[in-house]
Structure formats: structure tokens, C-alpha cells
Amino acid sequence: MPTPSMEDHIEQIYLLIENKGYARVSDIAEALSVLPSSVTKMVQKLDKDGYLIYEKYRGLTLTPKGVKLGKRLVQRHELLEQFLRLIGVDEERIYEDVEGIEHHLSWNSIDRIADLVQLMEEQTEFMQKLEQMKTQHNV
Ligand SMILES: [Mn+2]
């Protein structure tokens, strides 16, 4: 089982490769607000565990195992953002809240939230009531 920190690194590496075509240690460090030296250490561990291949001067590539997990982690992040947005969490809190909870939910819970999100999107009346309750609290 990957640790939260391993998950954060794989998630960022997947996003960087998706958006820029490559992931450099300095970019990963910046995205995660950690030191490049600690990214290098983690990347070596992820290489050892078979998630990626790291060659010091050539950069890094995700293995199929790394791609599969990276994709899942990015989808999980997006789902949780979608969920918090749907229940009316303030936009400026969403990212940090997701970063705080995403590593601590089982895939079982993620699957249940995914179904809930789908159902909520179909229930206009329910969503309007939820929105009304939020407005009342904010008065
Ligand atoms: Mn995340």
C-alpha cells in the first residue's frame, strides 16, 4: 500500500506528464512545496517499488503500474472536489480540503461517494433544498 506521501508524488508526476509531457524533480518539488532532495529520495523509492523508472539525467517515466495508480489518484481527487462543490463547500476551501481527506478514505468509500455524486446530479429538487439550507445558515 502506498503511503500518503507516495500517493501525492505519483499524483503530481501523473499530472505533470499529462500537462507538460514530462516531470522534473524540480517541478514535482514545487508542486508539492517540498525540497528537491526529498523528491529525489521518494522518486528512488517509487522506482524500487515499480511505479516509475528514474534515470538521473534522463528524467523519469511512469511504469504501467504507475500510470494506473496515477490515473486513479487524479480521478479520486477530481471526484472529491466535485462532491464538495455539490454539497456547497466554498470554492476557496475545496482544494485544501480534498488534499486533507483524499488519502484517508478507502476505495469502498470513494465508490459510494461516486454513486452519491451521480445520484445528486439527477435530483434537482434535493439539490435545491440543500442549497436553501446553506443559504439559511449563512444569513
Ligand atoms: Mn490531490
Side-chain angles (χ1 to χ4, degrees):
M1 270 277 286
T3 63
S5 177
M6 287 166 75
E7 288 190 343
D8 273 337
H9 283 74
I10 294 169
E11 189 184 349
Q12 282 309 322
I13 291 165
Y14 183 90
L15 281 173
L16 283 166
I17 291 174
E18 199 179 55
N19 295 331
K20 298 177 69 171
Y22 56 87
R24 288 184 308 204
V25 166
S26 56
D27 294 329
I28 303 163
E30 204 193 315
L32 295 174
S33 307
V34 294
L35 291 172
S37 57
S38 87
V39 173
T40 301
K41 237 173 146 184
M42 177 57 83
V43 159
Q44 284 163 347
K45 177 174 172 42
L46 293 172
D47 181 311
K48 209 178 111 227
D49 289 356
Y51 292 105
L52 54 82
I53 296 161
Y54 177 54
E55 289 171 287
K56 207 171 177 192
Y57 299 104
R58 296 177 125 192
L60 54 90
T61 48
L62 290 170
T63 62
K65 176 181 164 179
V67 171
K68 194 178 162 196
L69 181 61
K71 193 173 183 175
R72 235 177 146 200
L73 296 175
V74 169
Q75 285 170 344
R76 180 179 70 184
H77 184 107
E78 287 169 356
L79 170 73
L80 291 172
E81 281 202 2
Q82 196 187 357
F83 175 61
L84 295 188
R85 198 166 284 124
L86 270 177
I87 61 173
V89 174
D90 297 337
E91 198 56 38
E92 64 270 23
R93 293 183 196 280
I94 289 178
Y95 184 82
E96 270 194 44
D97 276 9
V98 171
E99 286 302 309
I101 61 174
E102 62 184 346
H103 308 293
H104 307 288
L105 294 171
S106 64
W107 291 102
N108 184 197
S109 292
I110 296 296
D111 287 345
R112 300 319 304 134
I113 291 172
D115 284 348
L116 179 62
V117 162
Q118 200 190 325
L119 204 56
M120 284 168 83
E121 284 181 323
E122 295 164 5
Q123 307 291 324
T124 318
E125 210 182 314
F126 175 86
M127 292 311 292
Q128 280 166 353
K129 276 186 199 158
L130 191 61
E131 178 65 33
Q132 276 166 17
M133 289 171 85
K134 184 190 170 180
T135 314
Q136 280 158 13
H137 288 308
N138 288 345
V139 168

